[in-house]
């Protein structure tokens, strides 16, 4: 799909909708600007199916860790109800994510715990050399400094919450008018997909998986 799209100069955008929460986007900018120092690790909270559900939190991890995954190690299994709903010959049933470890090219590590955290699901804790941040669609952003003291985000222009689809569609419309590429497009989308497929491969084989050697023949 990506090869054909590039040949026609058409971006493909993954609908990891929680990515476009405006307060999460602003916190991403602040973290990229050094608010908590250099990012060392990102922990995401979400379980469910690797691709159909947990991929949203996988994207949130990449949003703060970067979109350069190298290796994944995962645990998971297909639940009986998923197996029962998989038609014969359609491939293997999609497993649920129990845990997922991601090694990124920039030295950051990502970890998805495969369950809700104290604030529910679909959010991340970002750990840096000078503090930590918490971001997600359903909770207000927060930052603490190296001593664990809360940082006042009021002066940093945290926007009010609006529809994530409005932000995404505005980015798409701006791109059609000659603006920059929307988020979650092309190689960024590919990185999230490969983490998901690599995680499935790891969960089913019990081995770590290098994404540059991902088995592209397994049908899920």
């Amino acid at each position: 799909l990506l090869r054909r799209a590039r040949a026609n100069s058409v971006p493909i955008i993954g609908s990891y909708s929680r990515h476009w929460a405006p307060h999460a986007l602003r916190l991403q900018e602040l973290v990229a600007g050094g608010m908590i120092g250099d990012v060392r690790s990102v922990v995401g909270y979400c379980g469910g199916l690797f691709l159909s559900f947990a991929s949203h939190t996988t994207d949130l991890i990449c949003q703060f860790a970067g979109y350069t995954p190298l290796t994944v190690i995962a645990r998971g299994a297909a639940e009986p109800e998923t197996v029962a709903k998989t038609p014969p010959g359609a491939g293997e049933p999609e497993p649920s994510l129990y845990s997922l470890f991601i090694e990124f090219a920039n030295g950051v590590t990502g970890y998805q715990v495969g369950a809700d955290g104290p604030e529910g699901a679909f959010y991340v804790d970002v750990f840096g050399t000078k503090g930590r941040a918490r971001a997600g669609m359903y909770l207000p952003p927060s930052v603490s400094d190296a001593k664990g003291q809360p940082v006042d985000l009021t002066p940093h222009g945290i926007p009010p919450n609006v529809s994530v689809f409005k932000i995404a569609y505005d980015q798409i419309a701006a791109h059609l008018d000659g603006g920059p590429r929307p988020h979650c497009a092309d190689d960024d989308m590919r990185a999230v997909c490969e983490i998901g497929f690599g995680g499935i491969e790891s969960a089913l084989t019990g081995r770590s998986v290098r994404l540059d050697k991902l088995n592209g023949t397994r049908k899920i």
Side-chain angles (χ1 to χ4, degrees):
L1 283 172
L2 284 169
R3 282 195 298 270
R4 297 188 67 175
R6 287 192 183 105
N8 291 281
S9 300
V10 176
I12 297 180
I13 302 165
S15 183
Y16 306 119
S17 53
R18 293 159 180 85
H19 178 107
W20 286 280
H23 48 279
L25 289 172
R26 178 57 181 149
L27 190 58
Q28 179 186 0
E29 294 174 349
L30 294 173
V31 169
M35 175 170 275
I36 61 171
D38 296 329
V39 174
R40 290 288 185 257
S41 60
V42 185
V43 178
Y45 305 93
C46 183
L49 300 173
F50 268 88
L51 303 173
S52 307
F53 197 78
S55 57
H56 291 270
T57 301
T58 302
D59 175 73
L60 275 173
I61 291 173
C62 292
Q63 195 168 351
F64 290 89
Y67 287 86
T68 58
L70 295 177
T71 304
V72 298
I73 302 172
R75 292 182 64 251
E79 310 298 341
E81 58 270 22
T82 305
V83 174
K85 292 178 182 178
T86 304
E92 297 170 276
E94 184 181 350
S96 291
L97 185 154
Y98 297 167
S99 65
L100 173 65
F101 178 85
I102 312 162
E103 178 188 16
F104 291 90
N106 57 6
V108 179
T109 56
Y111 183 66
Q112 197 156 323
V113 301
D116 289 357
E119 299 289 345
F122 302 119
Y123 75 96
V124 292
D125 284 320
V126 186
F127 297 88
T129 55
K130 297 180 180 179
R132 61 185 292 184
R134 175 168 285 182
M137 178 178 176
Y138 303 111
L139 72 166
S142 61
V143 174
S144 57
D145 61 22
K147 296 182 179 179
Q149 297 301 308
V151 174
D152 182 11
L153 295 178
T154 305
H156 296 283
I158 303 297
N161 197 12
V162 297
S163 167
V164 294
F165 296 105
K166 180 184 186 307
I167 305 299
Y169 296 161
D170 283 349
Q171 286 189 3
I172 293 169
H175 177 71
L176 293 173
D177 288 336
R181 185 187 67 167
H183 288 200
C184 301
D186 299 334
D187 286 339
D188 290 355
M189 181 271 293
R190 176 176 183 153
V192 178
C193 287
E194 288 191 342
I195 290 170
F197 283 113
I200 290 171
E201 182 79 9
S202 177
L204 295 177
T205 63
R207 298 190 298 266
S208 65
V209 173
R210 282 181 50 182
L211 297 182
D212 62 343
K213 298 185 180 299
L214 185 59
N215 176 7
T217 63
R218 186 185 293 278
K219 293 183 178 181
I220 304 299

